[in-house]
Amino acid sequence: MTKKLLMISQNFYPELGSAANRMKMMFKAFKLKGSDPTMLTTEPTYPNQNLFDDDTYFTDHSLNELEKSKIIRMKMHGNKQNSNFVMRLVYYMEQYIRLKVFLKMHKEDYDIVYVSSPNIFLAWATLFFKQAKRPTYVLEIRDLWPDSVNGLKHINISLFMPLLKYLEKKMYNSADKIVINNEAFRAHIQNRLENKTPIFYLPNGISKSELVIEEKCDDFSVIYTGNIGYAQDVDKLISICKALNDKKIYVTAIVYGVQAAKFRQAVKDCAYIQIRKPMDRIDCLTEIAKHHVSLSILESSDVFMNVMPGKIIDSIGVGTPPISNISGPTEAIIQKYDLGFARKQASITTIVNEIETLKNDKQSLLNKENNAKKYRDEHLIWEDNIEKLITFLRKGDEDDKNIQN
């Protein structure tokens, strides 16, 4: 693949989280496979801007050398993590305008424009009112917006839903090709397409270089890593961790996000719960690999129940069985391949009992660990999956239909 590719994403290295890592791994894989990718993004601020005041998280020297040449960061006046809704809206509008200007200036420079959503404003700026016909416009959907926002308890956008649903449909129909990171999104998008736009499923994954092997902790231990935002059920997570503490089961929490402080405060006096600061991806994967099971606890809304959380992918990737209250395709995969435990809206008691059962059944736990590694090797290796994506981007519409997963 020798085409010039413009990737557009709000989240990118060295930010933490699955979204930034997905874009990082795709960018590096495209480059490795002979493409000529350029990443258009913003200054790192996730989970918070202070983390990036120094070079602590800029650990990838090959990417650091591409700053300002192949990694272009839009200079924004605002902060995308601003808690004020109006100020965040102003930030997104500025981002929209800056991206439109960039695309107008470089409309003839790229063969493929690949935009990842959310952030929804980046997708709109890329796809709406596009003038150049030569680039192939590829839309990546990592979240069903506006449904995901409407599912948050602290935000009420019901008044604007008719307009937002119209813009959602227009966005899908403006793309030449669509990439999804969750099979549950396929039917939702197809029902809103006016033409047979090709759709390709590319799950989050793990690189061969990230396949860390660690000895498990001497004592049975549980880990929770990553964001505690509005999509995560923080109260349920607190109750589970406290119940595990009462049973003298060790828990490690490496957390950030808008509700992380609430979690830290609630468990600060629990002797068996250890709070760790956010860390870079390899260090975090190493910690997950040391633990026996991992937790992923989501709000009960169907919008969140049907996602594939990055923390579950990371857990499977290092052979640590995930324990979750998730449903949909992720629940089906975990159950079918016996990778861990997942049950729709599983109660606190059910989850704690399942963890305690695995603690006492070493053979069952070992089977799940081995199943997770086998599933990872067959389905979640970036180097393998990126080959399929490249084929998808190369092919015409008729060929695309034959390679969809």
Side-chain angles (χ1 to χ4, degrees), residues 253-287:
I254 305 172
V255 298
Y256 51 78
V258 294
Q259 300 199 88
K262 179 178 180 180
F263 175 84
R264 294 190 194 99
Q265 179 65 26
V267 303
K268 66 178 183 178
D269 297 324
C270 296
Y272 287 84
I273 299 178
Q274 181 186 28
I275 304 294
R276 303 282 299 277
K277 292 181 179 180
M279 55 185 67
D280 66 29
R281 178 167 172 79
I282 292 299
D283 289 341
C284 191
L285 288 174
T286 300
E287 286 301 315

PDB file of all heavy atoms in Angstrom, residues 253-287:
ATOM      1  N   ALA A 253      -6.216  -0.827  41.691  1.00  0.00           N
ATOM      2  CA  ALA A 253      -6.971   0.096  40.842  1.00  0.00           C
ATOM      3  C   ALA A 253      -6.022   1.142  40.264  1.00  0.00           C
ATOM      4  O   ALA A 253      -5.402   1.909  41.004  1.00  0.00           O
ATOM      5  CB  ALA A 253      -8.087   0.774  41.636  1.00  0.00           C
ATOM      6  N   ILE A 254      -5.897   1.139  38.944  1.00  0.00           N
ATOM      7  CA  ILE A 254      -5.095   2.144  38.229  1.00  0.00           C
ATOM      8  C   ILE A 254      -6.100   2.992  37.463  1.00  0.00           C
ATOM      9  O   ILE A 254      -6.534   2.627  36.374  1.00  0.00           O
ATOM     10  CB  ILE A 254      -4.088   1.481  37.272  1.00  0.00           C
ATOM     11  CG1 ILE A 254      -3.211   0.484  38.040  1.00  0.00           C
ATOM     12  CG2 ILE A 254      -3.233   2.533  36.577  1.00  0.00           C
ATOM     13  CD1 ILE A 254      -2.331  -0.364  37.154  1.00  0.00           C
ATOM     14  N   VAL A 255      -6.500   4.131  38.033  1.00  0.00           N
ATOM     15  CA  VAL A 255      -7.704   4.808  37.551  1.00  0.00           C
ATOM     16  C   VAL A 255      -7.477   6.285  37.249  1.00  0.00           C
ATOM     17  O   VAL A 255      -6.571   6.925  37.787  1.00  0.00           O
ATOM     18  CB  VAL A 255      -8.857   4.678  38.575  1.00  0.00           C
ATOM     19  CG1 VAL A 255      -9.233   3.223  38.772  1.00  0.00           C
ATOM     20  CG2 VAL A 255      -8.482   5.298  39.923  1.00  0.00           C
ATOM     21  N   TYR A 256      -8.323   6.788  36.364  1.00  0.00           N
ATOM     22  CA  TYR A 256      -8.412   8.216  36.066  1.00  0.00           C
ATOM     23  C   TYR A 256      -9.824   8.473  35.574  1.00  0.00           C
ATOM     24  O   TYR A 256     -10.642   7.554  35.463  1.00  0.00           O
ATOM     25  CB  TYR A 256      -7.367   8.634  35.023  1.00  0.00           C
ATOM     26  CG  TYR A 256      -7.354   7.792  33.770  1.00  0.00           C
ATOM     27  CD1 TYR A 256      -8.296   7.966  32.762  1.00  0.00           C
ATOM     28  CD2 TYR A 256      -6.379   6.817  33.580  1.00  0.00           C
ATOM     29  CE1 TYR A 256      -8.279   7.196  31.612  1.00  0.00           C
ATOM     30  CE2 TYR A 256      -6.355   6.039  32.431  1.00  0.00           C
ATOM     31  CZ  TYR A 256      -7.305   6.238  31.449  1.00  0.00           C
ATOM     32  OH  TYR A 256      -7.283   5.478  30.310  1.00  0.00           O
ATOM     33  N   GLY A 257     -10.150   9.729  35.283  1.00  0.00           N
ATOM     34  CA  GLY A 257     -11.479  10.062  34.800  1.00  0.00           C
ATOM     35  C   GLY A 257     -12.277  10.880  35.800  1.00  0.00           C
ATOM     36  O   GLY A 257     -11.876  11.075  36.952  1.00  0.00           O
ATOM     37  N   VAL A 258     -13.449  11.352  35.360  1.00  0.00           N
ATOM     38  CA  VAL A 258     -14.230  12.305  36.136  1.00  0.00           C
ATOM     39  C   VAL A 258     -14.771  11.729  37.440  1.00  0.00           C
ATOM     40  O   VAL A 258     -15.096  12.471  38.366  1.00  0.00           O
ATOM     41  CB  VAL A 258     -15.396  12.875  35.293  1.00  0.00           C
ATOM     42  CG1 VAL A 258     -14.881  13.713  34.146  1.00  0.00           C
ATOM     43  CG2 VAL A 258     -16.309  11.764  34.787  1.00  0.00           C
ATOM     44  N   GLN A 259     -14.891  10.414  37.530  1.00  0.00           N
ATOM     45  CA  GLN A 259     -15.411   9.810  38.756  1.00  0.00           C
ATOM     46  C   GLN A 259     -14.337   9.037  39.531  1.00  0.00           C
ATOM     47  O   GLN A 259     -14.652   8.354  40.503  1.00  0.00           O
ATOM     48  CB  GLN A 259     -16.590   8.882  38.440  1.00  0.00           C
ATOM     49  CG  GLN A 259     -17.762   9.593  37.778  1.00  0.00           C
ATOM     50  CD  GLN A 259     -19.051   8.814  37.883  1.00  0.00           C
ATOM     51  OE1 GLN A 259     -19.796   8.949  38.861  1.00  0.00           O
ATOM     52  NE2 GLN A 259     -19.327   8.002  36.883  1.00  0.00           N
ATOM     53  N   ALA A 260     -13.092   9.173  39.097  1.00  0.00           N
ATOM     54  CA  ALA A 260     -12.010   8.456  39.773  1.00  0.00           C
ATOM     55  C   ALA A 260     -11.818   8.936  41.210  1.00  0.00           C
ATOM     56  O   ALA A 260     -11.542   8.140  42.113  1.00  0.00           O
ATOM     57  CB  ALA A 260     -10.712   8.600  38.989  1.00  0.00           C
ATOM     58  N   ALA A 261     -11.970  10.249  41.429  1.00  0.00           N
ATOM     59  CA  ALA A 261     -11.793  10.794  42.781  1.00  0.00           C
ATOM     60  C   ALA A 261     -12.833  10.222  43.745  1.00  0.00           C
ATOM     61  O   ALA A 261     -12.518   9.938  44.913  1.00  0.00           O
ATOM     62  CB  ALA A 261     -11.889  12.321  42.746  1.00  0.00           C
ATOM     63  N   LYS A 262     -14.051  10.041  43.264  1.00  0.00           N
ATOM     64  CA  LYS A 262     -15.107   9.453  44.087  1.00  0.00           C
ATOM     65  C   LYS A 262     -14.730   8.032  44.481  1.00  0.00           C
ATOM     66  O   LYS A 262     -14.920   7.619  45.634  1.00  0.00           O
ATOM     67  CB  LYS A 262     -16.431   9.462  43.328  1.00  0.00           C
ATOM     68  CG  LYS A 262     -17.593   8.854  44.094  1.00  0.00           C
ATOM     69  CD  LYS A 262     -18.898   8.943  43.301  1.00  0.00           C
ATOM     70  CE  LYS A 262     -20.054   8.342  44.077  1.00  0.00           C
ATOM     71  NZ  LYS A 262     -21.342   8.426  43.313  1.00  0.00           N
ATOM     72  N   PHE A 263     -14.191   7.296  43.548  1.00  0.00           N
ATOM     73  CA  PHE A 263     -13.774   5.920  43.835  1.00  0.00           C
ATOM     74  C   PHE A 263     -12.634   5.912  44.855  1.00  0.00           C
ATOM     75  O   PHE A 263     -12.678   5.165  45.838  1.00  0.00           O
ATOM     76  CB  PHE A 263     -13.336   5.229  42.542  1.00  0.00           C
ATOM     77  CG  PHE A 263     -12.775   3.854  42.746  1.00  0.00           C
ATOM     78  CD1 PHE A 263     -13.613   2.760  42.848  1.00  0.00           C
ATOM     79  CD2 PHE A 263     -11.404   3.659  42.866  1.00  0.00           C
ATOM     80  CE1 PHE A 263     -13.091   1.482  43.057  1.00  0.00           C
ATOM     81  CE2 PHE A 263     -10.876   2.397  43.077  1.00  0.00           C
ATOM     82  CZ  PHE A 263     -11.728   1.301  43.173  1.00  0.00           C
ATOM     83  N   ARG A 264     -11.629   6.738  44.631  1.00  0.00           N
ATOM     84  CA  ARG A 264     -10.482   6.773  45.542  1.00  0.00           C
ATOM     85  C   ARG A 264     -10.924   7.100  46.976  1.00  0.00           C
ATOM     86  O   ARG A 264     -10.460   6.491  47.941  1.00  0.00           O
ATOM     87  CB  ARG A 264      -9.455   7.800  45.069  1.00  0.00           C
ATOM     88  CG  ARG A 264      -8.782   7.475  43.742  1.00  0.00           C
ATOM     89  CD  ARG A 264      -7.619   8.436  43.500  1.00  0.00           C
ATOM     90  NE  ARG A 264      -7.160   8.390  42.118  1.00  0.00           N
ATOM     91  CZ  ARG A 264      -7.505   9.268  41.184  1.00  0.00           C
ATOM     92  NH1 ARG A 264      -8.299  10.280  41.489  1.00  0.00           N
ATOM     93  NH2 ARG A 264      -7.054   9.156  39.952  1.00  0.00           N
ATOM     94  N   GLN A 265     -11.795   8.080  47.096  1.00  0.00           N
ATOM     95  CA  GLN A 265     -12.262   8.496  48.416  1.00  0.00           C
ATOM     96  C   GLN A 265     -13.024   7.371  49.106  1.00  0.00           C
ATOM     97  O   GLN A 265     -12.878   7.149  50.319  1.00  0.00           O
ATOM     98  CB  GLN A 265     -13.160   9.732  48.276  1.00  0.00           C
ATOM     99  CG  GLN A 265     -13.733  10.267  49.573  1.00  0.00           C
ATOM    100  CD  GLN A 265     -12.675  10.798  50.525  1.00  0.00           C
ATOM    101  OE1 GLN A 265     -11.606  11.209  50.087  1.00  0.00           O
ATOM    102  NE2 GLN A 265     -12.968  10.792  51.816  1.00  0.00           N
ATOM    103  N   ALA A 266     -13.833   6.642  48.337  1.00  0.00           N
ATOM    104  CA  ALA A 266     -14.689   5.600  48.910  1.00  0.00           C
ATOM    105  C   ALA A 266     -13.893   4.399  49.428  1.00  0.00           C
ATOM    106  O   ALA A 266     -14.323   3.730  50.375  1.00  0.00           O
ATOM    107  CB  ALA A 266     -15.707   5.143  47.872  1.00  0.00           C
ATOM    108  N   VAL A 267     -12.743   4.112  48.832  1.00  0.00           N
ATOM    109  CA  VAL A 267     -12.005   2.896  49.200  1.00  0.00           C
ATOM    110  C   VAL A 267     -10.690   3.191  49.912  1.00  0.00           C
ATOM    111  O   VAL A 267      -9.890   2.284  50.138  1.00  0.00           O
ATOM    112  CB  VAL A 267     -11.728   2.026  47.942  1.00  0.00           C
ATOM    113  CG1 VAL A 267     -13.029   1.675  47.227  1.00  0.00           C
ATOM    114  CG2 VAL A 267     -10.772   2.731  46.971  1.00  0.00           C
ATOM    115  N   LYS A 268     -10.478   4.439  50.280  1.00  0.00           N
ATOM    116  CA  LYS A 268      -9.165   4.841  50.824  1.00  0.00           C
ATOM    117  C   LYS A 268      -8.796   4.109  52.105  1.00  0.00           C
ATOM    118  O   LYS A 268      -7.609   3.954  52.425  1.00  0.00           O
ATOM    119  CB  LYS A 268      -9.127   6.347  51.051  1.00  0.00           C
ATOM    120  CG  LYS A 268     -10.078   6.844  52.126  1.00  0.00           C
ATOM    121  CD  LYS A 268      -9.935   8.348  52.326  1.00  0.00           C
ATOM    122  CE  LYS A 268     -10.833   8.849  53.455  1.00  0.00           C
ATOM    123  NZ  LYS A 268     -10.665  10.296  53.691  1.00  0.00           N
ATOM    124  N   ASP A 269      -9.801   3.637  52.867  1.00  0.00           N
ATOM    125  CA  ASP A 269      -9.518   2.957  54.128  1.00  0.00           C
ATOM    126  C   ASP A 269      -9.559   1.442  54.009  1.00  0.00           C
ATOM    127  O   ASP A 269      -9.492   0.733  55.028  1.00  0.00           O
ATOM    128  CB  ASP A 269     -10.513   3.413  55.204  1.00  0.00           C
ATOM    129  CG  ASP A 269     -10.387   4.900  55.515  1.00  0.00           C
ATOM    130  OD1 ASP A 269      -9.244   5.396  55.489  1.00  0.00           O
ATOM    131  OD2 ASP A 269     -11.416   5.549  55.762  1.00  0.00           O
ATOM    132  N   CYS A 270      -9.665   0.929  52.794  1.00  0.00           N
ATOM    133  CA  CYS A 270      -9.741  -0.521  52.573  1.00  0.00           C
ATOM    134  C   CYS A 270      -8.328  -1.102  52.493  1.00  0.00           C
ATOM    135  O   CYS A 270      -7.549  -0.748  51.609  1.00  0.00           O
ATOM    136  CB  CYS A 270     -10.510  -0.830  51.293  1.00  0.00           C
ATOM    137  SG  CYS A 270     -12.260  -0.328  51.349  1.00  0.00           S
ATOM    138  N   ALA A 271      -8.021  -1.995  53.409  1.00  0.00           N
ATOM    139  CA  ALA A 271      -6.656  -2.509  53.536  1.00  0.00           C
ATOM    140  C   ALA A 271      -6.217  -3.343  52.344  1.00  0.00           C
ATOM    141  O   ALA A 271      -5.014  -3.424  52.046  1.00  0.00           O
ATOM    142  CB  ALA A 271      -6.547  -3.344  54.812  1.00  0.00           C
ATOM    143  N   TYR A 272      -7.153  -3.972  51.655  1.00  0.00           N
ATOM    144  CA  TYR A 272      -6.807  -4.878  50.558  1.00  0.00           C
ATOM    145  C   TYR A 272      -6.932  -4.220  49.185  1.00  0.00           C
ATOM    146  O   TYR A 272      -6.820  -4.892  48.164  1.00  0.00           O
ATOM    147  CB  TYR A 272      -7.686  -6.142  50.619  1.00  0.00           C
ATOM    148  CG  TYR A 272      -7.300  -7.064  51.755  1.00  0.00           C
ATOM    149  CD1 TYR A 272      -7.793  -6.848  53.039  1.00  0.00           C
ATOM    150  CD2 TYR A 272      -6.420  -8.119  51.553  1.00  0.00           C
ATOM    151  CE1 TYR A 272      -7.433  -7.679  54.100  1.00  0.00           C
ATOM    152  CE2 TYR A 272      -6.050  -8.957  52.600  1.00  0.00           C
ATOM    153  CZ  TYR A 272      -6.555  -8.719  53.866  1.00  0.00           C
ATOM    154  OH  TYR A 272      -6.184  -9.542  54.917  1.00  0.00           O
ATOM    155  N   ILE A 273      -7.171  -2.906  49.161  1.00  0.00           N
ATOM    156  CA  ILE A 273      -7.289  -2.189  47.889  1.00  0.00           C
ATOM    157  C   ILE A 273      -6.124  -1.217  47.753  1.00  0.00           C
ATOM    158  O   ILE A 273      -5.908  -0.359  48.609  1.00  0.00           O
ATOM    159  CB  ILE A 273      -8.626  -1.426  47.798  1.00  0.00           C
ATOM    160  CG1 ILE A 273      -9.795  -2.407  47.886  1.00  0.00           C
ATOM    161  CG2 ILE A 273      -8.696  -0.635  46.488  1.00  0.00           C
ATOM    162  CD1 ILE A 273     -11.162  -1.745  47.858  1.00  0.00           C
ATOM    163  N   GLN A 274      -5.384  -1.357  46.674  1.00  0.00           N
ATOM    164  CA  GLN A 274      -4.244  -0.489  46.397  1.00  0.00           C
ATOM    165  C   GLN A 274      -4.555   0.408  45.206  1.00  0.00           C
ATOM    166  O   GLN A 274      -4.942  -0.070  44.137  1.00  0.00           O
ATOM    167  CB  GLN A 274      -2.987  -1.320  46.087  1.00  0.00           C
ATOM    168  CG  GLN A 274      -1.758  -0.463  45.813  1.00  0.00           C
ATOM    169  CD  GLN A 274      -0.556  -1.277  45.367  1.00  0.00           C
ATOM    170  OE1 GLN A 274      -0.715  -2.339  44.778  1.00  0.00           O
ATOM    171  NE2 GLN A 274       0.635  -0.777  45.648  1.00  0.00           N
ATOM    172  N   ILE A 275      -4.404   1.720  45.394  1.00  0.00           N
ATOM    173  CA  ILE A 275      -4.628   2.693  44.330  1.00  0.00           C
ATOM    174  C   ILE A 275      -3.293   3.042  43.695  1.00  0.00           C
ATOM    175  O   ILE A 275      -2.333   3.388  44.394  1.00  0.00           O
ATOM    176  CB  ILE A 275      -5.296   3.974  44.860  1.00  0.00           C
ATOM    177  CG1 ILE A 275      -6.609   3.640  45.592  1.00  0.00           C
ATOM    178  CG2 ILE A 275      -5.557   4.942  43.703  1.00  0.00           C
ATOM    179  CD1 ILE A 275      -7.683   3.076  44.715  1.00  0.00           C
ATOM    180  N   ARG A 276      -3.220   2.952  42.376  1.00  0.00           N
ATOM    181  CA  ARG A 276      -1.999   3.289  41.654  1.00  0.00           C
ATOM    182  C   ARG A 276      -2.269   4.458  40.708  1.00  0.00           C
ATOM    183  O   ARG A 276      -3.380   4.651  40.220  1.00  0.00           O
ATOM    184  CB  ARG A 276      -1.512   2.086  40.829  1.00  0.00           C
ATOM    185  CG  ARG A 276      -1.262   0.813  41.634  1.00  0.00           C
ATOM    186  CD  ARG A 276       0.046   0.855  42.379  1.00  0.00           C
ATOM    187  NE  ARG A 276       1.188   0.985  41.467  1.00  0.00           N
ATOM    188  CZ  ARG A 276       1.753  -0.036  40.835  1.00  0.00           C
ATOM    189  NH1 ARG A 276       1.291  -1.275  41.001  1.00  0.00           N
ATOM    190  NH2 ARG A 276       2.797   0.167  40.047  1.00  0.00           N
ATOM    191  N   LYS A 277      -1.230   5.240  40.427  1.00  0.00           N
ATOM    192  CA  LYS A 277      -1.344   6.353  39.497  1.00  0.00           C
ATOM    193  C   LYS A 277      -1.423   5.834  38.056  1.00  0.00           C
ATOM    194  O   LYS A 277      -0.958   4.731  37.763  1.00  0.00           O
ATOM    195  CB  LYS A 277      -0.142   7.282  39.646  1.00  0.00           C
ATOM    196  CG  LYS A 277      -0.086   8.036  40.971  1.00  0.00           C
ATOM    197  CD  LYS A 277       1.123   8.951  41.009  1.00  0.00           C
ATOM    198  CE  LYS A 277       1.185   9.734  42.321  1.00  0.00           C
ATOM    199  NZ  LYS A 277       2.368  10.639  42.366  1.00  0.00           N
ATOM    200  N   PRO A 278      -1.995   6.642  37.133  1.00  0.00           N
ATOM    201  CA  PRO A 278      -1.995   6.246  35.717  1.00  0.00           C
ATOM    202  C   PRO A 278      -0.576   5.996  35.225  1.00  0.00           C
ATOM    203  O   PRO A 278       0.376   6.642  35.657  1.00  0.00           O
ATOM    204  CB  PRO A 278      -2.617   7.458  35.016  1.00  0.00           C
ATOM    205  CG  PRO A 278      -3.456   8.115  36.060  1.00  0.00           C
ATOM    206  CD  PRO A 278      -2.709   7.911  37.353  1.00  0.00           C
ATOM    207  N   MET A 279      -0.443   5.028  34.319  1.00  0.00           N
ATOM    208  CA  MET A 279       0.871   4.672  33.783  1.00  0.00           C
ATOM    209  C   MET A 279       0.764   4.440  32.291  1.00  0.00           C
ATOM    210  O   MET A 279      -0.340   4.319  31.748  1.00  0.00           O
ATOM    211  CB  MET A 279       1.414   3.435  34.501  1.00  0.00           C
ATOM    212  CG  MET A 279       0.491   2.238  34.480  1.00  0.00           C
ATOM    213  SD  MET A 279       1.111   0.838  35.481  1.00  0.00           S
ATOM    214  CE  MET A 279       1.005   1.487  37.147  1.00  0.00           C
ATOM    215  N   ASP A 280       1.901   4.381  31.620  1.00  0.00           N
ATOM    216  CA  ASP A 280       1.863   4.182  30.172  1.00  0.00           C
ATOM    217  C   ASP A 280       1.390   2.767  29.850  1.00  0.00           C
ATOM    218  O   ASP A 280       1.268   1.905  30.733  1.00  0.00           O
ATOM    219  CB  ASP A 280       3.205   4.498  29.518  1.00  0.00           C
ATOM    220  CG  ASP A 280       4.321   3.540  29.913  1.00  0.00           C
ATOM    221  OD1 ASP A 280       4.039   2.362  30.228  1.00  0.00           O
ATOM    222  OD2 ASP A 280       5.487   3.952  29.908  1.00  0.00           O
ATOM    223  N   ARG A 281       1.133   2.515  28.570  1.00  0.00           N
ATOM    224  CA  ARG A 281       0.444   1.287  28.172  1.00  0.00           C
ATOM    225  C   ARG A 281       1.220   0.023  28.551  1.00  0.00           C
ATOM    226  O   ARG A 281       0.630  -0.912  29.098  1.00  0.00           O
ATOM    227  CB  ARG A 281       0.183   1.324  26.663  1.00  0.00           C
ATOM    228  CG  ARG A 281      -0.494   0.050  26.152  1.00  0.00           C
ATOM    229  CD  ARG A 281      -1.020   0.212  24.755  1.00  0.00           C
ATOM    230  NE  ARG A 281      -1.495  -1.052  24.215  1.00  0.00           N
ATOM    231  CZ  ARG A 281      -2.676  -1.584  24.509  1.00  0.00           C
ATOM    232  NH1 ARG A 281      -3.490  -0.974  25.353  1.00  0.00           N
ATOM    233  NH2 ARG A 281      -3.052  -2.728  23.970  1.00  0.00           N
ATOM    234  N   ILE A 282       2.499  -0.028  28.246  1.00  0.00           N
ATOM    235  CA  ILE A 282       3.261  -1.244  28.518  1.00  0.00           C
ATOM    236  C   ILE A 282       3.294  -1.546  30.010  1.00  0.00           C
ATOM    237  O   ILE A 282       3.115  -2.703  30.435  1.00  0.00           O
ATOM    238  CB  ILE A 282       4.691  -1.127  27.956  1.00  0.00           C
ATOM    239  CG1 ILE A 282       4.651  -1.098  26.425  1.00  0.00           C
ATOM    240  CG2 ILE A 282       5.544  -2.295  28.428  1.00  0.00           C
ATOM    241  CD1 ILE A 282       4.068  -2.335  25.787  1.00  0.00           C
ATOM    242  N   ASP A 283       3.510  -0.523  30.827  1.00  0.00           N
ATOM    243  CA  ASP A 283       3.508  -0.729  32.277  1.00  0.00           C
ATOM    244  C   ASP A 283       2.138  -1.199  32.763  1.00  0.00           C
ATOM    245  O   ASP A 283       2.043  -2.064  33.647  1.00  0.00           O
ATOM    246  CB  ASP A 283       3.904   0.557  32.999  1.00  0.00           C
ATOM    247  CG  ASP A 283       5.376   0.891  32.833  1.00  0.00           C
ATOM    248  OD1 ASP A 283       6.148  -0.016  32.485  1.00  0.00           O
ATOM    249  OD2 ASP A 283       5.750   2.060  33.029  1.00  0.00           O
ATOM    250  N   CYS A 284       1.089  -0.632  32.163  1.00  0.00           N
ATOM    251  CA  CYS A 284      -0.260  -1.020  32.565  1.00  0.00           C
ATOM    252  C   CYS A 284      -0.557  -2.463  32.155  1.00  0.00           C
ATOM    253  O   CYS A 284      -1.115  -3.243  32.939  1.00  0.00           O
ATOM    254  CB  CYS A 284      -1.275  -0.067  31.932  1.00  0.00           C
ATOM    255  SG  CYS A 284      -2.949  -0.250  32.598  1.00  0.00           S
ATOM    256  N   LEU A 285      -0.174  -2.840  30.934  1.00  0.00           N
ATOM    257  CA  LEU A 285      -0.364  -4.222  30.490  1.00  0.00           C
ATOM    258  C   LEU A 285       0.415  -5.191  31.378  1.00  0.00           C
ATOM    259  O   LEU A 285      -0.075  -6.290  31.695  1.00  0.00           O
ATOM    260  CB  LEU A 285       0.093  -4.378  29.038  1.00  0.00           C
ATOM    261  CG  LEU A 285      -0.792  -3.736  27.964  1.00  0.00           C
ATOM    262  CD1 LEU A 285      -0.135  -3.848  26.596  1.00  0.00           C
ATOM    263  CD2 LEU A 285      -2.174  -4.376  27.930  1.00  0.00           C
ATOM    264  N   THR A 286       1.591  -4.782  31.801  1.00  0.00           N
ATOM    265  CA  THR A 286       2.395  -5.617  32.686  1.00  0.00           C
ATOM    266  C   THR A 286       1.675  -5.854  34.000  1.00  0.00           C
ATOM    267  O   THR A 286       1.658  -6.981  34.528  1.00  0.00           O
ATOM    268  CB  THR A 286       3.773  -4.962  32.938  1.00  0.00           C
ATOM    269  OG1 THR A 286       4.453  -4.804  31.690  1.00  0.00           O
ATOM    270  CG2 THR A 286       4.612  -5.807  33.880  1.00  0.00           C
ATOM    271  N   GLU A 287       1.062  -4.803  34.541  1.00  0.00           N
ATOM    272  CA  GLU A 287       0.320  -4.940  35.794  1.00  0.00           C
ATOM    273  C   GLU A 287      -0.898  -5.843  35.625  1.00  0.00           C
ATOM    274  O   GLU A 287      -1.206  -6.666  36.491  1.00  0.00           O
ATOM    275  CB  GLU A 287      -0.106  -3.564  36.305  1.00  0.00           C
ATOM    276  CG  GLU A 287       1.030  -2.739  36.885  1.00  0.00           C
ATOM    277  CD  GLU A 287       1.716  -3.439  38.041  1.00  0.00           C
ATOM    278  OE1 GLU A 287       1.020  -3.989  38.928  1.00  0.00           O
ATOM    279  OE2 GLU A 287       2.956  -3.451  38.061  1.00  0.00           O
TER     280      GLU A 287
END
